[in-house]
Amino acid sequence: MSGRRDERPTTSHPFYGGLRPVHPLASVLLQHNPGPMTLEGTNTWVVSVPGSGERIVVDPGEDDGTHLETLADGAPVAAVVLTHRHPDHAGGIGRFVELTGAPVYAADPSLAAGTEPLADGTVIAAAGVELAVMATPGHTSDSVSLLLTGPGADGAALLAGDTVLGRGTTVIAHPDGALGPYLDSLRRIADLPAGTPLLPGHGPEQGDAAQIATTYLTHREQRLDQVRAALAALGPDASPRAVVELVYADVDTSLWDAAEQSVRAQLDHLRG
């Protein structure tokens, strides 16, 4: 594949095997790693001003030869940016650097390569665009979101990693993740201008990141109320698993392990 965005017909989500244009400055390559935690797969974002001659890649995904080789086939990669450390986003970074030689930007110092660790307010400028870093911890302690701006786009778009998804809700990956910081991160996103496009780490793109973050905040408050009610019924020292079995009784049991991570974070928040 080349870095051009006009070489394939417009397709809808999910689409595997090639770049799908979704924004004047961004296309997505969907990794074929679907599952309960990844939805249809990991969204690898490729951003640039068309014709700039280079690209920025956000979240190259798992160590999957086909996906990484397809991703590397195109204009030079000026930078790789990781939204967080989880393997479905960052597991292939070593191989991708071998393929491209690109520097890696990440908040986790162990993943940054040839760069300083990302901090809130850092701006990455390359390929004719800018990515402004928003520290959005909660899903993980190192989670960041990226505000994408550049010529030809009407305002910024938000690459949110796993902080806000294209469908469903995200897991608080306890103990690395924590609910208090996550609620603060959602509030930051909810304060973005209405109509800010959401380019998520999983699921389809959405038209209003602030609106979705507001919905997430409501959902989290409802879950906290359910956990409080569960503790009232089970006793204040109830185990996370017991709370899951009560609060998530209507959820497929294959998701209970993930739900338990979030419940542990909620219990820490309530008992903290």
Side-chain angles (χ1 to χ4, degrees):
M1 115 184 21
S2 75
R4 296 172 56 197
R5 298 197 174 87
D6 58 353
E7 59 191 32
R8 297 179 184 272
T10 300
T11 53
S12 60
H13 176 87
F15 170 65
Y16 299 102
L19 278 177
R20 182 172 65 88
V22 300
H23 181 271
L25 303 174
S27 294
V28 63
L29 181 65
L30 177 61
Q31 188 164 32
H32 198 276
N33 60 337
M37 301 298 292
T38 57
L39 305 181
E40 294 82 9
T42 300
N43 290 330
T44 294
W45 291 98
V46 179
V47 302
S48 70
V49 170
S52 69
E54 59 183 15
R55 304 171 289 157
I56 299 175
V57 170
V58 178
D59 289 345
E62 295 182 13
D63 191 359
D64 169 352
T66 299
H67 180 79
L68 296 178
E69 289 167 9
T70 300
L71 187 61
D73 179 18
V77 178
V80 183
V81 187
L82 301 177
T83 61
H84 64 295
R85 63 171 66 93
H86 280 166
D88 57 317
H89 293 256
I93 191 62
R95 175 61 178 150
F96 193 61
V97 169
E98 289 179 2
L99 292 169
T100 64
V104 180
Y105 293 83
D108 184 337
S110 71
L111 293 171
T115 65
E116 293 296 317
L118 292 176
D120 191 61
T122 299
V123 176
I124 302 163
V129 302
E130 290 188 346
L131 292 171
V133 175
M134 292 176 59
T136 50
H139 171 65
T140 62
S141 61
D142 70 324
S143 288
V144 299
S145 299
L146 307 162
L147 283 168
L148 168 66
T149 56
D154 183 14
L158 184 72
L159 292 94
D162 284 1
T163 299
V164 180
L165 303 181
R167 67 175 178 86
T169 56
T170 199
V171 170
I172 308 300
H174 183 274
D176 181 44
L179 182 58
Y182 185 62
L183 295 174
D184 290 340
S185 295
L186 290 178
R187 293 183 186 107
R188 288 194 72 183
I189 295 173
D191 284 341
L192 292 175
T196 298
L198 172 67
L199 310 181
H202 302 281
E205 63 279 2
Q206 298 293 341
D208 193 332
Q211 181 182 52
I212 293 175
T214 299
T215 301
Y216 269 43
L217 283 165
T218 299
H219 169 76
R220 289 293 169 186
E221 290 298 336
Q222 291 171 343
R223 282 296 192 208
L224 278 172
D225 285 344
Q226 290 173 330
V227 172
R228 290 187 185 98
L231 292 176
L234 298 170
D237 297 325
S239 70
R241 194 64 173 193
V243 173
V244 168
E245 291 174 0
L246 185 60
V247 172
Y248 291 83
D250 60 342
V251 174
D252 191 299
T253 55
S254 67
L255 299 175
W256 277 12
D257 286 347
E260 187 171 339
Q261 292 186 60
S262 288
V263 166
R264 288 181 182 277
Q266 290 166 328
L267 291 174
D268 280 358
H269 183 73
L270 291 173
R271 293 167 173 168

